[in-house]
Amino acid sequence: MDTDVQLTERDPSPAPDQGPEPGSRFARFTARPAGLRHRPVTLLALCLAFVLLLSAFVAQPFLIPSSSMENTLQIGDRVLVNKLAYRFGTEPARGDVVVFDGTGSFVHREQGENPVTGLLRATGAALGLARPAETDYVKRVIGIGGDHVTCCDRRGRIEVNGEAVREGYLHPGDAPSSVTFDIVVPEGKLWVMGDHRARSSDSRDHLGDPGGGTVPVDKVIGRADLITWPVSRWRTLSAPIPAAAGSRG
């Protein structure tokens, strides 16, 4: 008995390349680069998050925006602000260069800013790439809580607790102050001034404001310890303690 056998004609063209069989060693090997593709982005995000956390709690680069601290600090300098300096019972000392939030002492109005712009600026400031907030200041501590700070004696010098302050850090040609003042710094507050007295808006300019120009210690962000940029200006910032380090009254 004859049986009809139906034959299918084979396509002579080569079959399309389907790639290696799933599960083969070659397939696993070639799949790895695709998995690694996102690792640089992940690593970058993790590094950025680490730097921002470090900047928020340990040490923050701070871009100097003005000439008020010349010649100690110049416009464009980056200083490293030690945020742990006053975290464990230690308080700012005379001569320390500090960064602080002037809200409530130097600034008494709301600072309006677009939220997106503010976030970008804050991120840039945390990395030392952008100007700090308008409410952040860098000054030198002249008087601490309980100090009697006056200006000026017969030789034009500032006195703290009746003793003249030797201010070798002053900008060349500057007088210690062109404004006279006589204040007892309240406990928990600081009297701060810039090293370039002729161009510094500091405690002297806020004598009539609430707090009398003093800055609350709890508003201090940290102590400026090191100039990190430019490389030619790399150095630590010493804290020359004024001569009047004795009794307060």
Side-chain angles (χ1 to χ4, degrees), residues 150-159 175-181:
T150 62
C151 184
C152 296
D153 68 5
R154 293 179 180 178
R155 296 174 58 183
R157 299 171 300 181
I158 290 175
E159 290 186 335
S177 180
S178 59
V179 176
T180 59
F181 53 85

Side-chain angles (χ1 to χ4, degrees), residues 231-246:
V231 175
S232 60
R233 285 180 48 74
W234 189 97
R235 64 186 179 89
T236 57
L237 294 173
S238 60
I241 300 176

Side-chain angles (χ1 to χ4, degrees), residues 27-222:
R28 290 196 299 271
F29 178 78
T30 55
R32 283 177 186 173
L36 291 173
R37 234 178 271 164
H38 302 292
R39 287 193 181 181
V41 177
T42 303
L43 288 174
L44 181 61
L46 288 174
C47 288
L48 181 60
F50 175 76
V51 170
L52 290 175
L53 284 172
L54 197 69
S55 176
F57 299 105
V58 180
Q60 176 184 346
F62 185 89
L63 173 64
I64 302 302
S66 74
S67 60
S68 70
M69 283 296 292
E70 290 179 342
N71 282 337
T72 305
L73 301 174
Q74 298 180 3
I75 296 175
D77 281 354
R78 269 76 169 179
V79 296
L80 191 65
V81 178
N82 180 359
K83 292 190 171 183
L84 299 180
Y86 309 123
R87 289 282 177 88
F88 304 103
T90 305
E91 293 194 350
R94 302 183 194 93
D96 285 357
V97 176
V98 297
V99 173
F100 62 93
D101 178 3
T103 304
S105 57
F106 283 23
V107 179
H108 297 275
R109 63 183 184 279
E110 293 292 332
Q111 300 291 308
E113 188 173 27
N114 179 284
V116 176
T117 304
L119 179 61
L120 293 174
R121 182 205 52 73
T123 302
L127 299 174
L129 302 176
R131 291 172 62 92
E134 294 293 328
T135 55
D136 288 351
Y137 294 83
V138 55
K139 304 293 179 187
R140 189 181 298 275
V141 177
I142 303 300
I144 58 178
D147 281 345
H148 183 197
V149 187
T150 62
C151 184
C152 296
D153 68 5
R154 293 179 180 178
R155 296 174 58 183
R157 299 171 300 181
I158 290 175
E159 290 186 335
V160 178
N161 302 329
E163 296 185 43
V165 179
R166 295 190 296 269
E167 299 188 281
Y169 42 74
L170 284 183
H171 187 277
D174 271 9
S177 180
S178 59
V179 176
T180 59
F181 53 85
D182 186 332
I183 184 171
V184 175
V185 183
E187 292 294 340
K189 301 290 185 68
L190 304 170
W191 180 268
V192 298
M193 300 173 73
D195 290 355
H196 197 346
R197 299 286 159 80
R199 295 190 179 180
S200 176
S201 176
D202 48 43
S203 288
R204 299 167 297 167
D205 297 272
H206 299 278
L207 283 166
D209 293 347
T214 59
V215 175
V217 171
D218 60 12
K219 286 288 189 177
V220 173
I221 296 169

